[in-house]
Amino acid sequence: MATRIISFTEGMKIGLGYNQLTGDRLPTPAVVGPSITAIQGAGGQRVTSDCITITDVETLHKSIGITAEAGGSYYGFSANAKTEYTNTFDFSSFSTYVIVRVSVKDVTESIDSPVFSPDANELLVVGNKDRFRQRFGDSFISGVLKGGEFFAIYQVTGSEESEKESVAVKVRAAYNAGPTASAHLSTDINTATSQSKSHLEVSCHVFREGIISTADLTLEDILVTAKQFPIGVSGDKAFPYAVLLQDYEGLKNPNDNFVYVDIQNKQDVLEDLAKKRFEFLALRDDLKYILKHSNDFQNADGTSVDREKLIKDFDEVVDAINTMQKEASICTRNPGECVFSKFEAAKFVVPILSKGSEDVLVTKGEAIANMDPLAIALRSSLPDAASRRGFNIGMAVAEGHTLPGPGKDSFGRTLRPEEQSGYAKGVRFSVDRNRNLEFATKGAAIANVDAVVAKARTAIPSAFYSLGFDIAAGIFADEPLGKGHTLEGPGSQAIRDGLNDDGQKGFRAAVDLYLVQKHKT
C-alpha cells in the first residue's frame, strides 16, 4: 500500500477515511483493527534542528513542509495550520529568509491488521464506488506521528543584498552561539535597520505545534524557545503533528471487481494549479514591493517605472490567483471538470533594481580591488568593461565575507548577463582570500623578497593560482615568514579543497616547493 505523510488537522483519527483532492477527513471509520499500537523500539525522540538561509519562495515552502506535489496534502489550497501561517506575511524575491526550524518525532502509533469497516464493506459488496468515495474518500488514516514542529522565519526585506545578508549572518551566528550571543540580536538588527539606505526591514513569524509556553516577545526569546522545544514535547506532552495515509488497494476486498476512483489526473491538475499559484503569489508580492519603493527600480531598458502599468499588472495577477482558487475548488468537488490552467507568470515583465545602488558598489569594489595586486591582475584579465564592472560589484558585495552564499548568488542574478561572470569571479576571489587572509598575506610578502617564489607563483597566469600558492606558502614556509608547518594535515587539506581548480593547483605547487623538493635536498 502506498503511504504518505500529511499534516495533522483537528478531528483526524486513525481509521477515518480521507479525500486527498479536497484535503477533508471523513467522519465515519473506513477501516477497523484489533488494536492501535506504537512502533516497537521507538520510545525515544528524533530531533532535527537547524538554521538555514533561503532566498527563493519555492525552497522556503518546501523547507517548512508546504508542497504542491501530488503526493502531499496541501496543493497550496487546503486550509491547514501551515498554509494559514504562511498567508500571514508577504513573500517576494526582495526578501531573504533565515529559518530556525525544529522537528521532534517522539512516537508513531498505527492501526494493526486493518480491515474495512462494516459500512465500507457493504458499499464494496454492492459496487457503489461513488457513494464509497463520498463517505470514505480515496485513502484512510493508518497512523499518527507524535512530537511537534517549531518554525521561526526571520524575513529580511530590502533593496540592498549585502545589507540583507549581513542580518542573515547575525541571526545564524546568534543561533549557533547560544544565549550569550543571541542576547544582542535585537540590538544588532535595530542598528542595521536604522542605518539602512535600502528600506531594510526585519520581521519574524513563529509557527509552533506541540507546546504552550510563554509568548515569544523578542527575537532572543524565539531562539531560546527553539533550543528548549524538544523537551517541551517529550513523553506525554507529545503533539499529533502528522498522520500516515494509505490507499485502499492493499486491503482485503470482498469485491475483486470493485474499481476505486482514479484520482491521478485530478492530482496532476491540482499540482499544476498549485505551482502556478505559488508563482503568482510571489509575483504579486514582488509587484507590491516595487510599487511601494518604485524609485529604487527601473525597466530593463533603463527607463523609469510606469506605476499605472504596474498597478494594472498587479490587479491582473490578483485576479489570476482568485481564478485559480476557484478552478481548484471546482476540481476538488467535481473531478470530471479538472482542466489545466493556462495562466503563465512569465508573461509579466517585472522592473529591475535601478543601477544607482550598483554604482555605489562599483566604486566601493574598485577601491577594494585596487589595494590587492592579484585582484587588479584578475580584473585586468577579464574580456570587457561589463565583466570588469561585475567584478568590482562582486568584490564589494563579498567584502569581509569568507564564504559564498545564496544571497550573493541571488544578487548576481539581478545583474546584466554580461556582468555576471565577472561578478562571480570577484565574489569567489574575495571570499577565498578573506577566508585565508593571514596565510595569503604571508605568502605574498615572501614572494616580494624571494625571486624563486615570485617566479613559481606565476607559473600559470591565473590570479587564483597565485592566491592558492600564496596561501600554501604562508602555511609551509619556514618561520618567521611563514607558519613553518612541515606536513600536510586535515586542516591544510581542507583549506586546499575549499579553493577552485586553479587555486588548488597553485596550492599544490607551493607544497611541492616547500615540502617535497625541500625533503629531496
Side-chain angles (χ1 to χ4, degrees):
M1 289 183 285
T3 303
R4 282 171 289 281
I5 298 176
I6 66 168
S7 182
F8 175 87
T9 57
E10 194 65 33
M12 284 184 166
K13 295 180 181 179
I14 293 177
L16 294 182
Y18 187 84
N19 187 324
Q20 294 183 66
L21 294 184
T22 63
D24 295 332
R25 54 98 185 149
L26 286 306
T28 308
V31 301
V32 293
S35 58
I36 295 174
T37 59
I39 297 176
Q40 292 183 352
Q45 284 187 320
R46 186 177 69 188
V47 178
T48 303
S49 177
D50 56 18
C51 179
I52 59 173
T53 299
I54 293 173
T55 58
D56 66 283
V57 177
E58 182 179 0
T59 304
L60 174 65
H61 279 135
K62 290 181 178 179
S63 71
I64 60 177
I66 297 177
T67 175
E69 297 173 357
S73 62
Y74 309 111
Y75 302 114
F77 303 103
S78 301
N80 59 68
K82 286 183 181 177
T83 52
E84 290 175 1
Y85 160 70
T86 55
N87 287 337
T88 60
F89 54 99
D90 293 339
F91 291 118
S92 83
S93 59
F94 305 106
S95 291
T96 294
Y97 306 91
V98 185
I99 302 180
V100 176
R101 58 184 183 182
V102 183
S103 176
V104 181
K105 181 179 179 182
D106 281 353
V107 67
T108 299
E109 296 178 347
S110 59
I111 189 170
D112 299 320
S113 304
V115 296
F116 284 108
S117 66
D119 287 348
N121 194 75
E122 181 180 343
L123 292 175
L124 292 170
V125 170
V126 299
N128 192 339
K129 66 178 183 180
D130 292 335
R131 183 57 177 155
F132 182 91
R133 177 174 174 76
Q134 289 173 358
R135 293 195 63 190
F136 305 111
D138 45 55
S139 54
F140 68 96
I141 300 171
S142 64
V144 175
L145 282 67
K146 293 185 176 181
E149 289 184 301
F150 174 91
F151 304 111
I153 300 179
Y154 293 80
Q155 183 177 10
V156 189
T157 306
S159 305
E160 177 58 62
E161 199 65 38
S162 60
E163 288 187 351
K164 291 187 291 184
E165 182 152 338
S166 177
V167 172
V169 169
K170 294 181 190 303
V171 175
R172 293 198 303 270
Y175 173 82
N176 291 326
T180 302
S182 65
H184 303 289
L185 182 58
S186 290
T187 301
D188 291 342
I189 289 178
N190 289 336
T191 300
T193 55
S194 65
Q195 296 177 351
S196 170
K197 298 179 181 179
S198 71
H199 320 293
L200 185 69
E201 297 178 0
V202 181
S203 55
C204 192
H205 316 275
V206 177
F207 174 89
R208 176 170 48 192
E209 281 193 323
I211 181 175
I212 299 175
S213 65
T214 304
D216 298 315
L217 300 178
T218 68
L219 299 176
E220 293 87 352
D221 290 340
I222 291 166
L223 296 180
V224 172
T225 298
K227 298 289 187 181
Q228 297 176 345
F229 186 75
I231 299 173
V233 294
S234 60
D236 59 359
K237 300 175 184 177
F239 180 83
Y241 69 92
V243 298
L244 300 174
L245 289 184
Q246 286 192 320
D247 296 333
Y248 290 118
E249 280 84 349
L251 298 179
K252 184 177 181 180
N253 190 331
N255 181 356
D256 288 337
N257 295 320
F258 188 90
V259 179
Y260 296 99
V261 178
D262 182 9
I263 63 169
Q264 185 60 55
N265 178 67
K266 292 79 177 177
Q267 288 181 318
D268 291 344
V269 170
L270 285 174
E271 179 182 352
D272 180 70
L273 265 174
K275 287 180 177 178
K276 288 183 176 179
R277 181 172 175 270
F278 284 147
E279 291 176 0
F280 272 75
L281 287 171
L283 177 59
R284 178 200 64 184
D285 295 339
D286 280 355
L287 292 173
K288 185 186 296 184
Y289 182 87
I290 294 171
L291 282 167
K292 185 177 179 180
H293 304 292
S294 55
N295 290 335
D296 292 351
F297 291 85
Q298 64 182 32
N299 295 319
D301 59 4
T303 57
S304 299
V305 170
D306 185 344
R307 285 184 57 83
E308 290 188 5
K309 182 180 183 302
L310 278 181
I311 293 172
K312 182 180 178 182
D313 286 348
F314 179 85
D315 291 341
E316 187 175 345
V317 168
V318 171
D319 288 342
I321 293 170
N322 293 334
T323 299
M324 283 187 274
Q325 188 77 36
K326 294 176 182 177
E327 291 177 351
S329 179
I330 292 172
C331 180
T332 57
R333 303 301 172 184
N334 302 288
E337 298 184 37
C338 291
V339 293
F340 286 95
S341 176
K342 296 181 179 180
F343 290 111
E344 289 296 338
K347 73 172 246 186
F348 295 91
V349 179
V350 180
I352 60 176
L353 284 168
S354 62
K355 298 301 179 182
S357 59
E358 289 177 13
D359 291 337
V360 174
L361 292 174
V362 170
T363 302
K364 181 179 179 180
E366 184 176 15
I368 295 171
N370 287 344
M371 293 187 293
D372 186 337
L374 285 182
I376 294 173
L378 178 54
R379 183 178 58 196
S380 299
S381 71
L382 299 176
D384 51 43
S387 58
R388 291 191 288 273
R389 172 186 166 88
F391 179 86
N392 287 332
I393 294 173
M395 290 292 290
V397 168
E399 181 188 20
H401 293 200
T402 59
L403 290 171
K408 300 179 187 69
D409 294 343
S410 177
F411 183 80
R413 291 191 290 270
T414 70
L415 301 178
R416 291 179 295 167
E418 57 269 29
E419 296 172 342
Q420 291 181 11
S421 63
Y423 172 85
K425 286 183 171 64
V427 169
R428 184 60 191 257
F429 178 85
S430 184
V431 297
D432 283 355
R433 191 178 191 282
N434 293 341
R435 190 171 61 251
N436 304 286
L437 186 58
E438 179 187 3
F439 299 135
T441 302
K442 286 180 176 292
I446 294 169
N448 287 333
V449 298
D450 189 324
V452 174
V453 173
K455 181 178 180 180
R457 75 192 286 266
T458 57
I460 293 179
S462 163
F464 286 105
Y465 179 92
S466 297
L467 177 62
F469 189 100
D470 288 345
I471 293 169
I475 296 172
F476 297 106
D478 292 337
E479 294 181 312
L481 295 178
K483 298 296 286 187
H485 290 199
T486 58
L487 292 172
E488 282 194 276
S492 63
Q493 290 171 354
I495 292 174
R496 179 199 65 202
D497 293 344
L499 304 174
N500 68 5
D501 289 345
D502 280 354
Q504 292 186 30
K505 290 177 182 177
F507 191 99
R508 293 190 184 97
V511 170
D512 182 67
L513 177 66
Y514 282 101
L515 297 186
V516 179
Q517 293 186 28
K518 183 177 180 180
H519 290 161
K520 289 180 179 179
T521 59

